[in-house]
Tab-separated table of all heavy atoms in Angstrom:
chain	number	residue	atom	x	y	z
A	133	LEU	N	12.404	4.417	-18.101
A	133	LEU	CA	11.215	5.056	-18.671
A	133	LEU	C	11.593	5.940	-19.855
A	133	LEU	O	10.941	5.895	-20.909
A	133	LEU	CB	10.497	5.884	-17.600
A	133	LEU	CG	9.682	5.089	-16.580
A	133	LEU	CD1	9.127	6.013	-15.511
A	133	LEU	CD2	8.553	4.331	-17.266
A	134	ASP	N	12.645	6.722	-19.673
A	134	ASP	CA	13.099	7.583	-20.764
A	134	ASP	C	13.376	6.764	-22.019
A	134	ASP	O	12.952	7.109	-23.122
A	134	ASP	CB	14.385	8.319	-20.355
A	134	ASP	CG	14.108	9.434	-19.353
A	134	ASP	OD1	12.945	9.864	-19.269
A	134	ASP	OD2	15.049	9.850	-18.658
A	135	TRP	N	14.074	5.679	-21.808
A	135	TRP	CA	14.462	4.821	-22.920
A	135	TRP	C	13.237	4.288	-23.654
A	135	TRP	O	13.135	4.357	-24.886
A	135	TRP	CB	15.324	3.686	-22.348
A	135	TRP	CG	15.662	2.608	-23.301
A	135	TRP	CD1	16.591	2.646	-24.298
A	135	TRP	CD2	15.075	1.310	-23.345
A	135	TRP	NE1	16.614	1.451	-24.949
A	135	TRP	CE2	15.700	0.609	-24.399
A	135	TRP	CE3	14.087	0.652	-22.597
A	135	TRP	CZ2	15.352	-0.704	-24.733
A	135	TRP	CZ3	13.746	-0.647	-22.920
A	135	TRP	CH2	14.368	-1.312	-23.970
A	136	LYS	N	12.263	3.792	-22.900
A	136	LYS	CA	11.046	3.243	-23.493
A	136	LYS	C	10.257	4.320	-24.227
A	136	LYS	O	9.764	4.117	-25.336
A	136	LYS	CB	10.141	2.665	-22.388
A	136	LYS	CG	10.267	1.170	-22.183
A	136	LYS	CD	9.527	0.363	-23.246
A	136	LYS	CE	9.601	-1.118	-22.909
A	136	LYS	NZ	9.268	-1.999	-24.033
A	137	ILE	N	10.147	5.469	-23.586
A	137	ILE	CA	9.359	6.546	-24.187
A	137	ILE	C	9.995	7.000	-25.496
A	137	ILE	O	9.304	7.225	-26.492
A	137	ILE	CB	9.221	7.726	-23.197
A	137	ILE	CG1	8.307	7.307	-22.034
A	137	ILE	CG2	8.658	8.964	-23.880
A	137	ILE	CD1	8.353	8.245	-20.837
A	138	ASN	N	11.322	7.058	-25.486
A	138	ASN	CA	12.015	7.429	-26.717
A	138	ASN	C	11.760	6.418	-27.821
A	138	ASN	O	11.530	6.769	-28.965
A	138	ASN	CB	13.518	7.552	-26.461
A	138	ASN	CG	13.842	8.825	-25.707
A	138	ASN	OD1	13.024	9.756	-25.672
A	138	ASN	ND2	15.013	8.869	-25.086
A	139	LEU	N	11.790	5.140	-27.459
A	139	LEU	CA	11.488	4.087	-28.421
A	139	LEU	C	10.118	4.310	-29.050
A	139	LEU	O	9.958	4.256	-30.268
A	139	LEU	CB	11.481	2.727	-27.716
A	139	LEU	CG	12.756	1.907	-27.665
A	139	LEU	CD1	12.447	0.535	-27.097
A	139	LEU	CD2	13.360	1.777	-29.062
A	140	TYR	N	9.144	4.540	-28.200
A	140	TYR	CA	7.774	4.703	-28.680
A	140	TYR	C	7.634	5.936	-29.560
A	140	TYR	O	6.984	5.918	-30.592
A	140	TYR	CB	6.794	4.787	-27.511
A	140	TYR	CG	6.489	3.449	-26.881
A	140	TYR	CD1	6.319	3.329	-25.508
A	140	TYR	CD2	6.339	2.304	-27.669
A	140	TYR	CE1	6.020	2.106	-24.925
A	140	TYR	CE2	6.049	1.078	-27.093
A	140	TYR	CZ	5.888	0.992	-25.717
A	140	TYR	OH	5.588	-0.222	-25.149
A	141	ASP	N	8.276	7.020	-29.128
A	141	ASP	CA	8.192	8.243	-29.904
A	141	ASP	C	8.811	8.052	-31.278
A	141	ASP	O	8.270	8.504	-32.292
A	141	ASP	CB	8.898	9.385	-29.157
A	141	ASP	CG	8.062	9.884	-27.987
A	141	ASP	OD1	6.885	9.468	-27.886
A	141	ASP	OD2	8.572	10.678	-27.172
A	142	ALA	N	9.932	7.339	-31.303
A	142	ALA	CA	10.590	7.066	-32.582
A	142	ALA	C	9.672	6.226	-33.465
A	142	ALA	O	9.511	6.486	-34.663
A	142	ALA	CB	11.918	6.350	-32.344
A	143	ALA	N	9.035	5.234	-32.888
A	143	ALA	CA	8.134	4.356	-33.633
A	143	ALA	C	6.977	5.166	-34.220
A	143	ALA	O	6.566	4.966	-35.366
A	143	ALA	CB	7.595	3.259	-32.716
A	144	GLU	N	6.484	6.104	-33.422
A	144	GLU	CA	5.372	6.932	-33.881
A	144	GLU	C	5.775	7.810	-35.054
A	144	GLU	O	5.027	7.972	-36.013
A	144	GLU	CB	4.888	7.814	-32.726
A	144	GLU	CG	3.521	7.405	-32.218
A	144	GLU	CD	3.036	8.400	-31.190
A	144	GLU	OE1	3.812	8.781	-30.298
A	144	GLU	OE2	1.882	8.809	-31.308
A	145	ARG	N	6.973	8.383	-34.920
A	145	ARG	CA	7.439	9.239	-36.009
A	145	ARG	C	7.601	8.438	-37.291
A	145	ARG	O	7.264	8.904	-38.354
A	145	ARG	CB	8.756	9.913	-35.626
A	145	ARG	CG	8.550	11.249	-34.925
A	145	ARG	CD	9.852	12.021	-34.859
A	145	ARG	NE	10.888	11.273	-34.175
A	145	ARG	CZ	10.973	11.155	-32.847
A	145	ARG	NH1	10.079	11.715	-32.090
A	145	ARG	NH2	11.939	10.463	-32.298
A	146	ARG	N	8.098	7.223	-37.143
A	146	ARG	CA	8.215	6.352	-38.313
A	146	ARG	C	6.854	6.132	-38.953
A	146	ARG	O	6.705	6.172	-40.169
A	146	ARG	CB	8.837	5.012	-37.929
A	146	ARG	CG	10.330	4.909	-38.222
A	146	ARG	CD	10.794	3.468	-38.268
A	146	ARG	NE	10.379	2.683	-37.097
A	146	ARG	CZ	10.960	2.806	-35.888
A	146	ARG	NH1	11.935	3.658	-35.706
A	146	ARG	NH2	10.538	2.070	-34.882
A	147	THR	N	5.849	5.888	-38.129
A	147	THR	CA	4.502	5.631	-38.632
A	147	THR	C	3.959	6.845	-39.382
A	147	THR	O	3.367	6.735	-40.448
A	147	THR	CB	3.553	5.297	-37.460
A	147	THR	OG1	4.148	4.258	-36.712
A	147	THR	CG2	2.205	4.837	-37.984
A	148	GLU	N	4.208	8.039	-38.787
A	148	GLU	CA	3.719	9.259	-39.424
A	148	GLU	C	4.364	9.476	-40.789
A	148	GLU	O	3.685	9.777	-41.763
A	148	GLU	CB	4.050	10.473	-38.541
A	148	GLU	CG	3.051	10.649	-37.400
A	148	GLU	CD	3.622	11.513	-36.296
A	148	GLU	OE1	4.597	12.239	-36.559
A	148	GLU	OE2	3.110	11.426	-35.157
A	149	VAL	N	5.667	9.269	-40.819
A	149	VAL	CA	6.426	9.536	-42.034
A	149	VAL	C	6.199	8.441	-43.068
A	149	VAL	O	5.851	8.710	-44.212
A	149	VAL	CB	7.939	9.657	-41.736
A	149	VAL	CG1	8.721	9.806	-43.030
A	149	VAL	CG2	8.189	10.838	-40.811
A	150	GLY	N	6.418	7.196	-42.641
A	150	GLY	CA	6.323	6.075	-43.597
A	150	GLY	C	4.888	5.662	-43.770
A	150	GLY	O	4.583	4.534	-43.567
B	102	ASP	N	0.459	-2.592	-32.553
B	102	ASP	CA	1.291	-1.435	-32.859
B	102	ASP	C	0.559	-0.099	-32.883
B	102	ASP	O	1.180	0.944	-32.678
B	102	ASP	CB	1.983	-1.645	-34.217
B	102	ASP	CG	3.160	-2.594	-34.086
B	102	ASP	OD1	3.501	-2.940	-32.931
B	102	ASP	OD2	3.720	-2.990	-35.119
B	105	VAL	N	1.027	2.495	-29.806
B	105	VAL	CA	2.301	3.024	-29.303
B	105	VAL	C	2.146	4.445	-28.775
B	105	VAL	O	2.774	4.824	-27.781
B	105	VAL	CB	3.437	2.981	-30.352
B	105	VAL	CG1	3.935	1.576	-30.535
B	105	VAL	CG2	2.996	3.597	-31.657
B	106	GLY	N	1.279	5.221	-29.420
B	106	GLY	CA	1.062	6.590	-28.957
B	106	GLY	C	0.486	6.604	-27.557
B	106	GLY	O	0.987	7.310	-26.670
B	108	ARG	N	0.629	4.269	-25.403
B	108	ARG	CA	1.616	3.741	-24.449
B	108	ARG	C	2.618	4.808	-24.048
B	108	ARG	O	2.969	4.950	-22.881
B	108	ARG	CB	2.377	2.574	-25.084
B	108	ARG	CG	1.567	1.303	-25.141
B	108	ARG	CD	2.424	0.182	-25.681
B	108	ARG	NE	1.891	-0.339	-26.927
B	108	ARG	CZ	2.534	-1.189	-27.726
B	108	ARG	NH1	3.761	-1.582	-27.415
B	108	ARG	NH2	1.972	-1.632	-28.823
B	109	ALA	N	3.086	5.562	-25.030
B	109	ALA	CA	4.040	6.622	-24.740
B	109	ALA	C	3.413	7.631	-23.780
B	109	ALA	O	4.058	8.105	-22.830
B	109	ALA	CB	4.468	7.315	-26.034
B	110	GLU	N	2.139	7.919	-24.023
B	110	GLU	CA	1.418	8.864	-23.167
B	110	GLU	C	1.348	8.349	-21.733
B	110	GLU	O	1.627	9.075	-20.782
B	110	GLU	CB	0.001	9.017	-23.701
B	110	GLU	CG	-0.446	10.443	-23.901
B	110	GLU	CD	-1.762	10.484	-24.665
B	110	GLU	OE1	-1.742	10.371	-25.923
B	110	GLU	OE2	-2.802	10.583	-23.999
B	113	THR	N	4.702	8.469	-20.154
B	113	THR	CA	5.132	9.851	-19.914
B	113	THR	C	4.437	10.419	-18.683
B	113	THR	O	5.067	11.070	-17.835
B	113	THR	CB	4.823	10.726	-21.148
B	113	THR	OG1	5.456	10.143	-22.285
B	113	THR	CG2	5.345	12.132	-20.945
Side-chain angles (χ1 to χ4, degrees):
Chain A
L133 284 175
D134 286 341
W135 172 76
K136 263 282 185 197
I137 290 166
N138 285 342
L139 268 188
Y140 283 143
D141 285 350
E144 250 186 314
R145 270 193 302 282
R146 261 199 309 285
T147 308
E148 279 161 19
V149 175
Chain B
D102 283 352
V105 286
R108 284 184 242 170
E110 231 170 279
T113 304

